[in-house]
Amino acid sequence: MKKNLKSPADFLTSSKVTKQIIRYSSPHNESLTIWRNEGRDVSYYDLLGHTFSYYINCGLGSKRKQNPDNLASPGKFCVFPEGSSSDWVHSSPLVFMHLHVSDSEIRRRYVEMFDYDARCCHIPEITFGDFPEIQNIFKQLYASLYSHDSFFIECAISEVISRFLLRTPPHLKHKKMRGGLSSYLSKNLREYIEQNLDNKITLSTLSSKANLSEFHFQRVFQQSFGVSPAKWILESRITKAKELLRKNTDLKDISSQCGFSDQSHMTRQFKKMTGLTPNEYRQVTDKRSIIVPVSRFRHGKPD
């Protein structure tokens, strides 16, 4: 990856053309920020990560220099893929929201949803799109930021990403890829991990199933899954723990079924990944309906 890639926030803060109103950082390498621009032009180049931009208030007449006939308005939705560049003209003040997601995280979610190689994931650039289902979630996110409802924010972020990927599945069809894992081997490894979450899963065991050295296996696994083996396994354990928490399973049993050394270990890892302890997660899920998480999708359909 290029070392000089920068996020939109880097450009906005360094240029001093906008004011950050509120920011939320997720445990999953995601951030949600509301900005106010007083009507100053902005340029981005060689962006790091993928950014979903939503216009909240004003912005009438704002446009992209590369596409001047397509004008902004409240509720419009843009996508800035990693590596993209763009120049924006703002003739009046506006308030907008940026959801920033790391490339590795969006590829991990992509693999979870579609069972495709992570390198098949291509995020299209969108300028002032009109996606009502995504716009409605952003409206709720805007309100939840001020109420500090971290549980809803996490669920809604997952919903934005999943609906975007489902709306236009970003597959690079017929792309011939070198390296990585074969689809057959990736499927077998994923099934092995899911079926053995209650046991200790070692890098040695996984690499032997692929008939590769541990060093080479880690590299090709990350190519095909978007994240390291350790990250994938931990995310899988947390996902299973969430499912068992919603079924009111005993915490000690959950820690055992999910492969944590003990209940204390599960609590530390769960809070690190979700921002909530298992008990807190259970309490909030008991009080409201749950947005279907990305991990519950397979091939674009709920399980």
Side-chain angles (χ1 to χ4, degrees):
M1 177 178 289
K2 296 179 180 179
K3 294 183 179 180
N4 61 341
L5 295 182
K6 296 195 295 185
S7 71
D10 293 327
F11 288 96
L12 296 174
T13 54
S14 63
S15 64
K16 299 181 181 180
V17 301
T18 56
K19 178 182 179 181
Q20 179 179 299
I21 299 176
I22 191 169
R23 177 183 174 86
Y24 173 85
S25 295
S26 161
H28 292 279
N29 296 319
E30 303 152 341
S31 64
L32 195 64
T33 311
I34 296 176
W35 301 91
R36 178 178 176 83
N37 184 317
E38 297 298 338
R40 303 279 297 276
D41 295 353
V42 178
S43 294
Y44 307 114
Y45 55 89
D46 295 334
L47 289 179
L48 174 68
H50 307 278
T51 300
F52 301 82
S53 178
Y54 174 73
Y55 278 47
I56 299 171
N57 291 322
C58 305
L60 292 173
S62 292
K63 57 189 176 182
R64 182 176 175 177
K65 287 183 179 179
Q66 293 86 347
N67 188 7
D69 296 328
N70 189 3
L71 301 179
S73 63
K76 290 295 185 179
F77 179 73
C78 300
V79 178
F80 311 144
E82 180 163 274
S84 64
S85 301
S86 54
D87 303 293
W88 301 84
V89 177
H90 301 298
S91 56
S92 61
L94 70 150
V95 177
F96 58 97
M97 181 187 296
H98 275 178
L99 168 59
H100 184 261
V101 187
S102 69
D103 184 63
S104 62
E105 177 61 17
I106 208 163
R107 290 182 187 278
R108 181 189 69 81
R109 291 175 183 266
Y110 168 86
V111 175
E112 281 188 335
M113 290 177 65
F114 297 105
D115 281 335
Y116 279 87
D117 190 291
R119 292 169 295 168
C120 291
C121 181
H122 170 71
I123 303 301
E125 189 171 64
I126 296 175
T127 302
F128 303 138
D130 189 17
F131 301 159
E133 68 275 18
I134 295 178
Q135 293 162 351
N136 288 335
I137 302 171
F138 267 113
K139 290 177 183 178
Q140 297 173 52
L141 274 172
Y142 177 60
S144 64
L145 276 174
Y146 286 97
S147 63
H148 305 289
D149 190 343
S150 60
F151 174 74
F152 178 82
I153 292 172
E154 292 293 330
C155 291
I157 287 174
S158 288
E159 183 74 347
V160 168
I161 297 171
S162 64
R163 285 187 178 273
F164 175 75
L165 293 176
L166 286 166
R167 184 181 178 89
T168 308
H171 308 319
L172 292 180
K173 298 180 179 179
H174 310 300
K175 179 181 178 182
K176 186 176 181 180
M177 295 178 294
R178 294 183 177 181
L181 297 165
S182 68
S183 58
Y184 174 78
L185 186 53
S186 293
K187 181 176 182 295
N188 284 349
L189 287 168
R190 183 168 176 169
E191 289 178 351
Y192 174 82
I193 291 170
E194 291 180 353
Q195 292 168 6
N196 290 274
L197 289 175
D198 56 337
N199 297 312
K200 183 177 180 180
I201 302 173
T202 66
L203 181 61
S204 175
T205 300
L206 295 178
S207 60
S208 65
K209 289 184 175 297
N211 197 27
L212 296 169
S213 69
E214 293 183 11
F215 174 80
H216 186 51
F217 175 78
Q218 288 193 85
R219 185 171 63 84
V220 296
F221 186 98
Q222 178 132 4
Q223 285 178 327
S224 294
F225 282 76
V227 293
S228 68
K231 172 72 170 174
W232 183 271
I233 293 169
L234 179 57
E235 290 282 0
S236 299
R237 295 191 196 281
I238 297 299
T239 296
K240 184 174 181 179
K242 288 178 179 178
E243 293 172 354
L244 293 173
L245 283 166
R246 292 195 289 269
K247 295 177 182 178
N248 289 319
T249 307
D250 180 76
L251 291 181
K252 185 176 180 181
D253 290 337
I254 294 175
S255 65
S256 176
Q257 291 182 48
C258 295
F260 295 104
S261 57
D262 52 39
Q263 187 175 324
S264 177
H265 179 221
M266 178 184 72
T267 298
R268 291 195 304 271
Q269 292 296 323
F270 195 93
K271 186 168 185 179
K272 179 181 178 181
M273 299 298 290
T274 68
L276 300 171
T277 67
N279 269 326
E280 289 170 340
Y281 180 87
R282 174 173 280 166
Q283 289 169 8
V284 294
T285 55
D286 284 344
K287 295 177 182 179
R288 64 183 86 186
S289 59
I290 304 302
I291 297 175
V292 179
V294 173
S295 58
R296 294 280 300 281
F297 287 90
R298 293 292 182 270
H299 304 296
K301 297 180 181 179
D303 283 341

